[in-house]
Amino acid sequence: MREKAVWVLVGAGGALAWTVLAVARGERVSAAWILFAALASYAIAYRFYARFVTYRVLRPDDTRATPAESKNNGIDFHPTDRRVLFGHHFAAIAGAGPLVGPVLAAQWGYLPGTLWIIVGVVFAGAVQDLVVLFFSMRRGGRSLGQMAKDEIGPVGGVAALVGALSIMVILLAVLALVVVNALAHSPWGAFSITMTIPIALLMGFYLRYLRYGRVLRASAFGAVLLVLAVAAGSLVADSRWADAFTWSPETLTFALVGYGFVASVLPVWMLLAPRDYLSAFMKIGVVAMLAAGILVALPDLRTEAFTSFARTGDGPVVAGALFPFVFITIACGALSGFHALVSSGTTPKLLEKESQVRVIGYGGMLTESFVAVMALIAACVIDPGLYFAMNMPASVLGPTLESASQAVAGVGFTISPEQLARAAESVGETTLVARTGGAPTLAVGIADIFASVGGAKAFWYHFAVMFEALFILTTVDAGTRIGRFMLQDTVGNVWRRFGDVSWKPGVYLSSAVVVAAWGWFLWAGVKDPLGGINQLFPLFGIANQLLAAIALIVCTTLLIKSGRARHAWVTLVPLAWDVAVTLTAVWQKVLSGDPRIGFFAQRDLYQDALDAGKTSLGSAGSVDAMEQVVLNSTVDGVLAAFFALVVIVVLADAVRVWLTALRRRTTTTTEDPYVASDLWAPSGLLPTRTEREHMKTAP
């Protein structure tokens, strides 16, 4: 009875918060209402919907050994404490997307982003992560592309393998570029992040050899050392050691490539898992502090529920209509194809028990979604004039504060040159104008919230910049290892020995190929502002959502073929939505005649200018730059069409498999054979009463 009363109160509180957000127009709305709506929705979704999908649809069996137990090799397969694994999984999936996407989506208002982040994660993103994790675990930790080949067949499977691996390289290079931009010439960030490596190694050896399984003790000293590293970073930045940690983008590129290779080949317990777990302390801790700051300061949302750009589609930050581009822009905060690669990469090889898929897969994604909610709030509590002055293109804002003020006024908002100067001075920057990309805006929003509680705005701004770099880096190292798994699975179809993750030559060679692929794009992007990964950056959101479509296709196929067809709607509904949204976005990006939206329209605009003898246009200040824009737009348009074609091929082949399976009414499986488990572990982060009693009586 008491439990029912609690859930009634949670539901009523969530309903009240959603009502306020939905009906409030032209009046002050506290950011706390978004916080309440999110937390209530997450709690209800985890308690009821995640439980339904886990125990009614997937039906885990804790008497069955997971790959971590049955294939334990101490390198990639290793039973890992659920708390450490939750930290690793969350750190691996939570990259740039939940920080940057919601900030950019704020141009359409606070309500569209809030709705998609929360509703999307409950019914799409978290379900995808949970289902992929379960089926990969049942298949020995196979990668998403390999499962597609095994379940759909050679045509759709090979298309999925090629598409997933190609998209993976693009995503890793984009994430690495964000890290480089955040850490370049930042001794505080470089020192703090460098120190997480020896701390993680210490934790890894402590948990494996000194005090096996003493996670709480390791967590305590790891958290203390992490705080000390962050605090010391601020001191280093003002000391004679600053030059030693002031690294250029080129130096950071080599460091990232080297670190990515090492993290990919070392045993997972030694560096990757403890470092990600350690980073999760930082990530979750800062987000929790931000939520507490919102509850204390109760800042008002200064953005409208729906801005005029939501109706007109001519926003100056992200070009295009609310549908489909708000969903593409938010990306990882609600649904992410990259997560499916993690859920079929490192995580299924580390699970102790099958029932833990709920807290790791569904719970981890809810946590990332909460990060996205915090990022959206941070963007919506700052002055709208400052928001647009930071995020509009430099070519539109002009070279001076006066021209930036006039440009912002041209889109319907007001901020004076003096206000722009004071805003930059308050955070220790020379200017905030045209600081595009979303990350600087998030840092200003975080600094505003923290400063409203305890002052020191400049400190919190630079702390937020360092935090963003740490947040994203964990995705790069885990992603490189996952890319190695994918490449080994792919080549393993024609060279069986190469697919063995315990075979050292295959491990080293595949890791080298993966880091070389994304490292080359990163290096070219660092050297040429319009080249390398900058050339592919506009594809990030679309590619990520197309990868999610492939993941949901594989999930639906597995549900139907494994005798769970009556519940296939749990992935089929989000699949239909994702395909509709993403293919619409591709259609517009390829065929739109508006140069701000269409890749080929932009190509034609710059090519016509070159033919007319112009030497500059927009952000391209030279003929060479204009020619690079022509090339970039052409490549982006071709790749967008190619990735969409891959998804269409995979979907068409999968529908054939679905219809065949439904018509024959037979159950087929590619699961690994049943092996009895000798391990016992709680299913959630906190043991239940029954589990605690078992722990007391266990030998």
Side-chain angles (χ1 to χ4, degrees), residues 16-30 33 110-111 301 303-306:
L16 175 61
W18 278 114
T19 301
V20 171
L21 294 174
V23 303
R25 297 292 186 275
E27 56 192 272
R28 286 188 166 188
V29 178
S30 172
W33 288 115
Y110 67 78
L111 194 53
L301 297 168
T303 304
E304 302 172 83
F306 290 92

Side-chain angles (χ1 to χ4, degrees), residues 51 69 78 102 177 253 278 296 299 340 403 468 485 502 516 579 584 639 653 683:
R51 185 181 181 86
E69 181 181 359
H78 178 67
L177 181 64
T253 297
L278 190 65
V296 172
S403 63
E468 291 167 2
F485 292 149
S502 297
V579 168
T584 300
L639 285 178
D653 205 19
S683 59

Side-chain angles (χ1 to χ4, degrees), residues 365-419:
M365 181 53 189
L366 288 184
T367 308
E368 176 172 353
S369 178
F370 188 61
V371 174
V373 168
M374 292 297 99
L376 180 67
I377 290 175
C380 292
V381 298
I382 68 174
D383 185 298
L386 178 60
Y387 171 86
F388 286 101
M390 293 183 68
N391 289 285
M392 289 170 63
S395 58
V396 175
L397 291 167
T400 65
L401 296 181
E402 289 74 15
S403 63
S405 175
Q406 293 173 3
V408 171
V411 297
F413 297 92
T414 302
I415 187 166
S416 68
E418 293 76 20
Q419 288 173 315

Side-chain angles (χ1 to χ4, degrees), residues 34-66:
I34 295 182
L35 191 62
F36 294 146
L39 292 175
S41 300
Y42 296 154
I44 293 171
Y46 185 79
R47 171 60 180 82
F48 297 102
Y49 191 55
R51 185 181 181 86
F52 167 79
V53 175
T54 302
Y55 294 104
R56 294 288 297 276
V57 180
L58 301 178
R59 303 187 294 275
D61 178 6
D62 279 345
T63 69
R64 184 186 189 117
T66 63

Side-chain angles (χ1 to χ4, degrees), residues 680-697:
W680 182 90
S683 59
L685 293 180
L686 300 176
T688 64
R689 180 182 302 175
T690 303
E691 289 171 338
R692 286 196 299 270
E693 292 174 356
H694 181 278
M695 293 166 69
K696 291 178 182 178
T697 59

Side-chain angles (χ1 to χ4, degrees), residues 6 92 101 124 164 171-172 185 202 270-271 282 332 342 442 450 503 531 541:
V6 169
L171 297 182
L172 285 176
H185 310 296
L202 178 62
M270 186 183 296
L271 176 61
M282 182 75 167
C332 306
V342 178
L442 174 61
F450 284 159
W503 189 50

Side-chain angles (χ1 to χ4, degrees), residues 179-544:
V179 173
V180 168
N181 289 338
L183 290 182
H185 310 296
S186 173
W188 184 3
F191 175 84
S192 300
I193 288 175
T194 300
M195 289 300 102
T196 63
I197 297 175
I199 296 172
L201 289 170
L202 178 62
M203 289 180 65
F205 280 96
Y206 180 88
L207 288 172
R208 183 163 177 92
Y209 294 114
L210 300 179
R211 292 291 187 272
Y212 185 83
R214 299 296 180 89
V215 174
L216 294 180
R217 189 177 299 177
S219 302
F221 78 70
V224 170
L225 291 175
L226 177 63
V227 171
L228 291 176
V230 173
S234 64
L235 299 177
V236 167
D238 295 324
S239 73
R240 59 189 179 87
W241 291 96
D243 290 343
F245 290 94
T246 302
W247 298 339
S248 67
E250 292 82 1
T251 301
L252 282 166
T253 297
F254 282 113
L256 276 179
V257 168
Y259 171 72
F261 177 82
V262 171
S264 177
V265 301
L266 283 180
V268 68
W269 58 264
M270 186 183 296
L271 176 61
L272 186 66
R275 188 187 175 283
D276 286 351
Y277 178 57
L278 190 65
S279 299
F281 278 117
M282 182 75 167
K283 294 182 177 185
I284 296 175
V286 172
V287 171
M289 288 170 54
L290 190 59
I294 291 170
L295 293 177
V296 172
L298 295 176
D300 290 331
L301 297 168
R302 304 181 70 177
T303 304
E304 302 172 83
F306 290 92
T307 67
S308 61
F309 307 124
R311 296 183 291 272
T312 62
D314 58 354
V317 177
V318 180
L322 181 69
F323 179 90
F325 289 107
V326 69
F327 309 101
I328 299 297
T329 302
I330 287 175
C332 306
L335 173 65
S336 172
F338 180 79
H339 295 188
L341 302 182
V342 178
S343 295
S344 60
T346 53
T347 306
K349 299 176 178 65
L350 304 175
L351 280 165
E352 289 179 305
K353 306 303 295 182
E354 287 197 350
S355 59
Q356 293 173 355
V357 294
R358 181 186 177 201
V359 67
I360 303 297
Y362 201 96
M365 181 53 189
L366 288 184
T367 308
E368 176 172 353
S369 178
F370 188 61
V371 174
V373 168
M374 292 297 99
L376 180 67
I377 290 175
C380 292
V381 298
I382 68 174
D383 185 298
L386 178 60
Y387 171 86
F388 286 101
M390 293 183 68
N391 289 285
M392 289 170 63
S395 58
V396 175
L397 291 167
T400 65
L401 296 181
E402 289 74 15
S403 63
S405 175
Q406 293 173 3
V408 171
V411 297
F413 297 92
T414 302
I415 187 166
S416 68
E418 293 76 20
Q419 288 173 315
L420 286 172
R422 285 196 300 270
E425 183 181 359
S426 69
V427 296
E429 293 280 12
T430 56
T431 183
L432 290 175
V433 173
R435 297 293 300 274
T436 57
T441 305
L442 174 61
V444 170
I446 291 175
D448 269 354
I449 293 171
F450 284 159
S452 65
V453 176
K457 187 173 181 179
F459 168 85
W460 288 117
Y461 171 81
H462 290 284
F463 173 85
V465 171
M466 185 275 300
F467 162 72
E468 291 167 2
L470 175 66
F471 203 101
I472 299 165
L473 181 59
T474 52
T475 303
V476 176
D477 56 14
T480 300
R481 196 181 194 98
I482 294 163
R484 188 250 288 179
F485 292 149
M486 295 171 65
L487 183 58
Q488 286 190 269
D489 275 351
T490 302
V491 178
N493 287 293
V494 293
W495 181 10
R496 198 171 195 81
R497 185 69 186 277
F498 195 85
D500 182 0
V501 295
S502 297
W503 189 50
K504 296 292 187 183
V507 170
Y508 294 139
L509 180 59
S510 55
S511 297
V513 170
V514 171
V515 296
W518 64 257
W520 182 85
F521 282 114
L522 174 61
W523 175 257
V526 165
K527 298 297 289 183
D528 180 2
L530 292 174
I533 193 54
N534 294 313
Q535 179 175 316
L536 303 178
F537 200 94
L539 284 174
F540 178 83
I542 287 177
N544 193 37

